[in-house]
Amino acid sequence: MSELVDELKTLIIEVLNLEDITPEDIIADESLFGEGLGLDSIDALELGLALQKKYNISIDAENKETKSHFASVNSLAKFVSDSRA
Amino acid sequence: MSIEFVISDWRAWYAGVSEPADWQRWRSGELKLQEDIQADVSFLPAMLRRRLSPLSKAVFNTAYPLLQQRDIPLLCCSVHGEAMRTYSLLQGVAAGEDLSPTAFGLSVHNAIVGQLSIANKVRSPALALAGGDYPLLAGFMEAAGILQEGIKEILLIFSEEPLPQMYHPSAESPSAICATALLLTLPAEGIKGTGVTLVNSSSIKVKTAFEEADYQLALVNALVENSGKIPLAREWELQINAN
């Protein structure tokens, strides 16, 4: 799982052009949106697209649980690993 | 017919030349243009900067220091806008790929002026204009209309980037990224700056602003010289300090 967490941090930095941020700067259990890293709704779409491409998983924008999957890197890692299983 | 303006301040970015003193050195041949260089926007927060294209960086580099956080109307003129972004999206469509929401959102014609207004907390109108073959004329005409409505000051911006190779046989574009920003008012008591007159003259024959591919350079040249006449379109020219 920690390998996946690191991979996701790198993915976030790459697809969202976070030029001044390193993987170490992203705290795995801290909020990605609003407070914490400070990503916005367009980032959520971009990240969703990147996850679908890279891990071949489907994300349902209508599903209420989707928002909680995107809360932090840890929750994303759990979502990706569950979806792949 | 003629319309008078005052340019109280201006900035331009082209191939690494940006500061007023640099433009003087460029005019006198001391400063060479650089290739493959992007406009400096290190004054912006990283989270804002990360979404700027090379073209929008040039706009921010010119417009941001002139605005100084003031809330005045913005008028952003560009014939082709974010052509490179749009082109890469179209390539994605052709390849059957899912499109990047960020790239799509920022490819629209008012994306740059929108980002500029957000970054400066501008709540005044922010307008994006294409201007067809005559962006300078369209920009100054629109600015005249806005100022005539009682607005005291606007920021008029021109920006262009070279079109992708594929379009070269059918459309004109500049050889490098260029942005010009002008703080514009109508002449009045106590207003200082460069006098500019938009003049209707039957002797002017210009087919398109892109007859001179880097159409903004003629304007910048006249602003550096503090005098000059710039043909804008058929029967229209801009005179700097003619009076």
Side-chain angles (χ1 to χ4, degrees):
Chain A
M1 192 65 116
S2 86
E3 204 176 293
L4 182 57
V5 165
D6 288 343
E7 202 174 280
L8 285 170
K9 285 180 181 179
T10 308
L11 180 78
I12 288 170
I13 290 169
E14 274 175 18
V15 299
L16 305 181
N17 292 322
L18 304 179
E19 40 187 56
D20 292 352
I21 291 175
T22 64
E24 293 74 41
D25 294 333
I26 303 178
I27 316 294
D29 62 355
E30 239 182 43
S31 174
L32 286 172
F33 297 89
E35 296 296 311
L37 196 55
L39 303 181
D40 60 25
S41 57
I42 296 183
D43 292 318
L45 290 169
E46 199 70 43
L47 195 52
L49 186 72
L51 291 173
Q52 293 186 41
K53 260 190 199 169
K54 187 166 172 121
Y55 300 109
N56 197 24
I57 54 176
S58 70
I59 297 170
D60 181 5
E62 301 296 320
N63 190 329
K64 282 180 182 151
E65 280 175 22
T66 301
K67 196 179 172 187
S68 62
H69 296 324
F70 279 71
S72 68
V73 174
N74 278 344
S75 61
L76 265 184
K78 184 173 184 312
F79 170 61
V80 170
S81 114
D82 289 352
S83 304
R84 285 198 296 187
Chain B
M1 184 195 163
S2 68
I3 304 169
E4 289 182 29
F5 302 90
V6 175
I7 296 177
S8 56
D9 203 356
W10 64 273
R11 283 178 61 84
W13 192 92
Y14 181 88
V17 185
S18 65
E19 299 309 312
D22 290 341
W23 280 111
Q24 292 284 355
R25 289 167 58 212
W26 166 77
R27 185 73 189 92
S28 59
E30 288 171 49
L31 196 66
K32 292 278 171 270
L33 300 173
Q34 301 175 61
E35 282 178 23
D36 297 326
I37 185 170
Q38 292 200 10
D40 175 38
V41 286
S42 55
F43 50 85
L44 292 173
M47 290 302 267
L48 187 72
R49 205 168 58 219
R50 69 197 172 102
R51 289 199 177 133
L52 300 184
S53 66
L55 180 65
S56 48
K57 282 179 181 169
V59 171
F60 268 75
N61 181 284
T62 56
Y64 203 86
L66 291 181
L67 275 171
Q68 294 182 358
Q69 310 290 323
R70 281 177 307 150
D71 185 359
I72 59 171
L74 309 173
L75 174 54
C76 228
C77 305
S78 179
V79 174
H80 301 299
E82 293 269 27
M84 296 308 288
R85 264 208 228 267
T86 310
Y87 181 65
S88 76
L89 280 170
L90 290 173
Q91 285 180 309
V93 171
E97 292 168 6
D98 288 324
L99 301 183
S100 153
T102 314
F104 178 73
L106 296 178
S107 68
V108 298
H109 207 65
N110 60 354
I112 293 181
V113 73
Q115 291 174 97
L116 193 58
S117 73
I118 291 168
N120 279 281
K121 300 186 173 62
V122 169
R123 291 187 164 77
S124 303
L127 197 68
L129 205 64
D133 286 340
Y134 311 108
L136 288 173
L137 178 65
F140 276 95
M141 275 295 186
E142 188 68 28
I146 293 169
L147 292 168
Q148 290 292 345
E149 283 187 334
I151 302 290
K152 282 209 173 111
E153 188 178 35
I154 74 161
L155 189 65
L156 173 60
I157 302 150
F158 298 96
S159 69
E160 301 292 345
E161 68 181 352
L163 286 174
Q165 195 72 37
M166 199 189 86
Y167 295 105
H168 288 189
S170 54
E172 301 295 325
S173 69
S175 57
I177 288 175
C178 191
T180 311
L182 314 167
L183 266 180
L184 219 56
T185 58
L186 293 178
E189 287 260 341
I191 301 280
K192 286 184 186 156
T194 306
V196 181
T197 318
L198 188 58
V199 184
N200 192 214
S201 157
S202 57
S203 63
I204 311 296
K205 292 177 178 64
V206 179
K207 280 187 202 140
T208 153
F210 287 105
E211 266 176 33
E212 194 175 347
D214 301 288
Y215 68 85
Q216 294 169 65
L217 282 188
L219 174 62
V220 172
N221 209 354
L223 287 170
V224 173
E225 288 282 293
N226 220 6
S227 84
K229 293 179 178 179
I230 306 128
L232 301 184
R234 193 166 164 262
E235 302 193 350
W236 284 98
E237 74 176 359
L238 199 67
Q239 301 179 354
I240 307 285
N241 273 333
N243 302 324

